[in-house]
Amino acid sequence: MGADDAMVHEPLTPQSLGLLADRIHREWTSRRRIFDLPTSRFFDVSAGPDLTAEFLGREIATPLGPAAGPHTQLAQNLVLGWLGGGRLFELKTVQVLDELDIPRPCIDVAGVGYNIEWSQELQIPRSLEEYVKGRFLIELLTAWGELDPFLGDPGAHVFDLSVGYDLAGIASPGVAAFIDSIADASTVIDRLRPELLGGPFAHLADIELDPCIADTVTLSTFHGCPPDEIEKITKHLMTRHGLDVIVKLNPTLLGFGQVRALLDALGYGDLRIRPEDFAADLRFERGLELIGGLSEFATEAGRRFGIKLTNTLVVENDRGVLPSDTMYLSGEPLHVLAMTLLDQLHISAPGMLRVGGHDGPVQVSWSAGIDKENLADAVGLGIVPATVCSDLLRPGGYGRLAPMLTTLGRTIDESGGSSLREFVDFRSAEAFNDGARDSLAVYTAQLHDPVTGARYRADATTGPLREVDHDLEMWGCVACNLCVTVCPNDAVMKLPSPESLGHRWEYVVLSELCNDCGNCNTFCPERGDPARIKPRLFTSPHRFEADTGQAFLIGMADGVPSITARTGWESETATLAETLGGPDGLPIATERPEAVIDEARRHARRAD
Ligand SMILES: Cc1cc2nc3c(=O)[nH]c(=O)nc-3n(C[C@H](O)[C@H](O)[C@H](O)COP(=O)(O)O)c2cc1C
């Protein structure tokens, strides 16, 4: 593959560490935001009750974080999750097929969640670099001091790898090298350090960084992962790589009949599931056997083992929004399915799972419909961590994390406790005093009850989105800011409108960070796709040339933009220059085109 082909295939072009660090500094000094997140949405871990939890023997300062998905792919996404209070990051799944062509749009969270995404959309060495950059930036921000009044002592966090989907792929040289390199990322760290020189964080370029970025992994048993191989893969990850392992289970474990009955009871009767999708997946009895066997294996191997509930539910696509026959359900109904599954696993293997106040050997991690309303209920069961995907794709985006944690803190306060650990005990004692089996039984029953579980029902999750009777235009709009917050990659940026336009805000798209997932289009109240209609900025000449349609190649030096418009769009150049070059204009000093080209070649050489 030629150098430029390697570059152009990927739908995302991450920004360099130097550029991201520079943007952090510019944004902070000009508008007290980082990657568009205002300080009111930063979470101060040290301010409320002690939320410390344990993940596979490692401490995490809160039990919350982003699930494997769009929020854990790029370095700035990881920083945003951390600023919001996330302390466990299930990194975007890495697998051997690293040149996927995912149809667009791929996300539809207008009601409950649907997506057709797969795993990483970067070549494996680039994913490695993003995760290292994310850690690097978090350490820089911790050491910086400027954020102390807003973050307090941020405490510990963990990056947890996610890999899939079969043994051959996971044992392939590319994925094996990725796992080894992230466990000791010294080479990548040393390569990245010089990017900070000459910039605002130059004084921290030598910062001490633990070269082990991740030594735990969550195995995604999705996308055709052969059920018989789950055991072999887990053992391989423990013995060949010395990792502690979580196996991420699928809701299909409940069996077709039970999933159908639960969906019907919740009012999702028109949601179509197919028996053949269940037939291909792991069965409940075999799942139980696996959990017991792998837990014993881990103990003998001196490793830790846990399970995660759950990945998405595979359903037939009849909504006509996403371009695929099959799509994957997440959000509210998944919460009920996954909790029912957890309850049944717990009943069938008493004493095995660390949940509901029981101190079993198998840790339970979570990703299914977590939001502000149910985080306390979930982690009150002893589930650690609760990770989130769908809720962060809704308006507010990463800004939804801090209110979740604040609500959790308040619930702990109200219980009379001073820590998450005490809260788990409190919820257990409460259930016991009420004569229930345990807190898990109480919570599962609440979810199944049409009154206490009303918010998970179809009639509560499918309300209409806000609409304005107006076609979206390049300049000016209702300025609701939704396109900024719902973008997991922070690819849409709000800038003050120049006087000549007379609006309040303008919105521009950092196209290299936009993979056309469709989420801003879903939430924009006007008619039209913001990712296509708002000025699409490119800093890489390669990407600019490879793209078609409305686009501007920009350079920014000392706040002065240089702009090359795509033929036919030249008339917009003056307005764009005014917008980008205003007093609070684009907080990005793009690399000079030559530097961008060098960067491209450097990456492509590695990819070859
Ligand atoms: C757009 C999108 C992409 C996802 N990508 C992955 C992935 O790469 N690997 C994985 O294990 N799970 C992936 N998931 C599943 C989530 O990690 C999570 O398990 C699921 O969405 C349920 O959590 P939620 O209800 O909070 O969304 C993805 C989910 C969404 C919505």
Side-chain angles (χ1 to χ4, degrees):
M1 176 183 289
D4 292 353
D5 294 341
M7 277 293 298
V8 165
H9 186 275
E10 291 171 309
L12 294 166
T13 306
Q15 294 178 335
S16 68
L17 177 71
L19 193 141
L20 290 170
D22 187 69
R23 173 172 167 192
I24 286 176
H25 195 267
R26 281 170 196 265
E27 241 186 291
W28 183 252
T29 41
S30 65
R31 55 203 89 175
R32 279 286 186 271
R33 287 169 179 258
I34 293 183
F35 299 132
D36 288 305
L37 193 73
T39 54
S40 59
R41 296 299 168 133
F42 291 12
F43 184 72
D44 181 347
V45 172
S46 40
D50 177 9
L51 300 180
T52 310
E54 188 212 299
F55 175 73
L56 297 176
R58 291 128 181 103
E59 186 176 298
I60 46 179
T62 75
L64 183 67
H71 303 96
T72 54
Q73 177 147 241
L74 298 178
Q76 73 271 18
N77 307 14
L78 297 166
V79 173
L80 280 160
W82 178 79
L83 290 169
R87 291 296 180 267
L88 188 289
F89 299 80
E90 187 196 5
L91 300 172
K92 180 76 178 164
T93 305
V94 167
Q95 58 135 348
V96 66
L97 302 174
D98 65 354
E99 293 191 359
L100 295 176
D101 260 328
I102 293 172
R104 314 289 169 182
C106 55
I107 296 178
D108 168 18
V109 291
V112 301
Y114 297 106
N115 82 90
I116 54 170
E117 268 200 26
W118 253 52
S119 31
Q120 90 277 10
E121 292 187 80
L122 299 171
Q123 292 180 337
I124 295 173
R126 292 252 213 162
S127 288
L128 171 68
E129 194 162 303
E130 283 312 286
Y131 303 154
V132 177
K133 277 158 56 184
R135 168 60 59 76
F136 213 135
L137 288 169
I138 289 172
E139 297 302 333
L140 285 181
L141 293 180
T142 305
W144 193 21
E146 284 279 322
L147 307 186
D148 291 0
F150 306 95
L151 293 179
D153 173 1
H157 68 272
V158 166
F159 280 10
D160 177 40
L161 294 181
S162 169
V163 296
Y165 291 100
D166 62 11
L167 185 57
I170 289 171
S172 68
V175 178
F178 164 76
I179 299 173
D180 288 341
S181 308
I182 203 144
D184 179 359
S186 320
T187 317
V188 185
I189 293 170
D190 290 344
R191 181 159 42 76
L192 291 172
R193 281 189 197 282
E195 292 187 21
L196 297 173
L197 298 174
F201 289 98
H203 62 295
L204 294 173
D206 284 336
I207 191 172
E208 208 176 304
L209 219 63
D210 182 349
C212 176
I213 304 297
D215 58 1
T216 65
V217 65
T218 294
L219 169 66
S220 187
T221 64
F222 210 58
H223 295 296
C225 179
D228 295 343
E229 284 197 13
I230 296 172
E231 187 175 359
K232 285 191 205 144
I233 301 172
T234 306
K235 290 180 176 174
H236 169 82
L237 291 166
M238 286 183 182
T239 51
R240 157 69 179 84
H241 292 286
L243 301 172
D244 293 336
V245 183
I246 297 265
V247 172
K248 191 171 186 178
L249 301 170
N250 304 319
T252 43
L253 262 185
L254 277 173
F256 180 83
Q258 203 175 171
V259 170
R260 184 69 274 162
L262 280 166
L263 290 175
D264 289 345
L266 290 168
Y268 299 95
D270 56 351
L271 215 151
R272 291 202 221 146
I273 52 172
R274 298 171 297 218
E276 58 270 28
D277 291 323
F278 287 70
D281 252 354
L282 185 66
R283 305 293 177 89
F284 190 82
E285 289 306 323
R286 177 75 183 112
L288 271 180
E289 238 176 68
L290 259 181
I291 296 169
L294 288 172
S295 173
E296 276 172 29
F297 181 87
T299 310
E300 280 161 25
R303 300 261 63 93
R304 292 185 170 88
F305 170 74
I307 56 172
K308 181 161 195 167
L309 282 78
T310 63
N311 216 315
T312 43
L313 175 71
V314 54
V315 301
E316 198 177 313
N317 182 2
D318 59 357
R319 279 171 57 76
V321 178
L322 305 178
S324 170
D325 297 341
T326 295
M327 57 184 184
Y328 308 112
L329 168 88
S330 56
E332 288 83 353
L334 190 68
H335 189 74
V336 182
L337 295 176
M339 201 56 75
T340 309
L341 175 60
L342 177 61
D343 192 47
Q344 293 184 6
L345 289 171
H346 176 54
I347 292 170
S348 307
M352 173 79 74
L353 306 180
R354 204 173 309 152
V355 74
H358 303 275
D359 197 20
V362 176
Q363 166 139 35
V364 179
S365 153
W366 193 262
S367 64
I370 290 294
D371 58 26
K372 186 166 79 117
E373 307 303 324
N374 62 23
L375 175 66
D377 288 329
V379 297
L381 298 173
I383 283 167
V384 173
T387 60
V388 201
C389 187
S390 301
D391 199 57
L392 300 186
L393 291 165
R394 294 172 175 155
Y398 295 94
R400 297 171 78 92
L401 286 168
M404 287 186 208
L405 289 165
T406 308
T407 307
L408 170 63
R410 202 177 311 125
T411 313
I412 294 175
D413 283 341
E414 284 163 9
S415 75
S418 60
S419 70
L420 177 59
R421 289 194 174 100
E422 285 176 15
F423 180 61
V424 174
D425 292 342
F426 171 82
R427 283 278 162 108
S428 292
E430 203 178 38
F432 184 73
N433 291 338
D434 288 349
R437 186 197 71 217
D438 55 24
S439 51
L440 177 58
V442 173
Y443 186 52
T444 310
Q446 276 173 15
L447 293 179
H448 290 172
D449 183 297
V451 176
T452 48
R455 61 184 298 267
Y456 297 93
R457 297 179 55 83
D459 45 16
T461 54
T462 45
L465 296 174
R466 205 177 124 206
E467 278 181 30
V468 174
D469 185 18
H470 189 257
D471 290 336
L472 190 68
E473 295 173 47
M474 180 177 279
W475 307 110
C477 59
V478 293
C480 61
N481 220 35
L482 294 182
C483 54
V484 176
T485 62
V486 302
C487 175
N489 296 343
D490 191 31
V492 186
M493 189 174 254
K494 172 176 89 167
L495 300 174
S497 192
E499 238 171 74
S500 60
L501 287 178
H503 313 125
R504 189 143 179 251
W505 300 108
E506 303 302 337
Y507 293 84
V508 295
V509 182
L510 305 174
S511 296
E512 284 121 341
L513 304 180
C514 168
N515 60 356
D516 284 307
C517 74
N519 208 32
C520 59
N521 193 16
T522 298
F523 286 101
C524 178
E526 298 195 25
R527 275 185 306 271
D529 181 358
R532 292 277 140 189
I533 295 174
K534 292 297 174 186
R536 300 176 66 237
L537 312 185
F538 284 83
T539 58
S540 153
H542 288 81
R543 287 282 181 210
F544 179 69
E545 293 306 332
D547 189 85
T548 52
Q550 178 261 104
F552 302 87
L553 177 64
I554 59 150
M556 288 290 290
D558 300 324
V560 181
S562 62
I563 299 173
T564 308
R566 170 97 64 234
T567 307
W569 294 94
E570 297 86 346
S571 56
E572 308 296 341
T573 306
T575 312
L576 183 60
E578 233 188 314
T579 307
L580 302 183
D584 284 333
L586 194 70
I588 291 178
T590 62
E591 291 139 313
R592 286 164 298 116
E594 315 89 76
V596 174
I597 292 163
D598 285 344
E599 167 85 347
R601 294 207 175 109
R602 196 163 62 83
H603 274 303
R605 262 202 306 278
R606 259 181 291 134
D608 282 345

